[in-house]
Amino acid sequence: MGLLSMLVFGGKSENIKNFVEKGAVIIDVRTPGEFQGGHIKGSKNIPLNTIGNQIESIKKLNKPVIACCASGMRSAQATSILKSNGIDAMNGGGWSSLENKL
């Protein structure tokens, strides 16, 4: 796996299907304006710059998280923040690409 793939996708062995089967919630970390321009149906918009303040509410969901954004870079950062706070999370990459995998 290339360095970029490891940074973007976190080098996780779990795949999107496994997370979905576990009832994962999709968190889109783009800005509200980007989210309004198109998003995965049922996803929650929690912008990257606010995700640190939302840790407790995300934990209360009691579900694994698939983070997505436009390209996978912001969702990689969000995944790192979520994991460091004990949340089962993975980087889903760009939202449109993720939507095609669901």
Side-chain angles (χ1 to χ4, degrees):
M1 180 179 298
L3 179 58
L4 182 60
S5 293
M6 288 185 67
L7 288 172
V8 174
F9 298 108
K12 292 192 72 73
S13 59
E14 296 94 346
N15 63 30
I16 292 164
K17 184 178 178 184
N18 290 344
F19 264 60
V20 170
E21 287 172 357
K22 293 191 282 185
V25 62
I26 298 170
I27 296 180
D28 190 318
V29 299
R30 296 176 298 149
T31 65
E34 288 175 294
F35 187 78
Q36 287 177 344
H39 58 271
I40 296 172
K41 186 176 179 181
S43 63
K44 298 183 182 304
N45 183 218
I46 304 176
L48 177 61
N49 65 341
T50 66
I51 204 155
N53 299 328
Q54 301 292 324
I55 295 299
E56 291 308 313
S57 62
I58 295 169
K59 283 184 176 182
K60 287 179 183 174
L61 297 172
N62 203 27
K63 294 182 178 187
V65 171
I66 301 173
C68 67
C69 63
S71 68
M73 296 308 287
R74 285 177 283 181
S75 54
Q77 293 175 8
T79 299
S80 178
I81 292 166
L82 295 170
K83 286 177 152 187
S84 70
N85 282 280
I87 296 169
D88 188 15
M90 74 171 292
N91 182 3
W95 77 271
S96 58
S97 173
L98 175 60
E99 186 173 46
N100 291 332
K101 296 174 186 170
L102 296 174

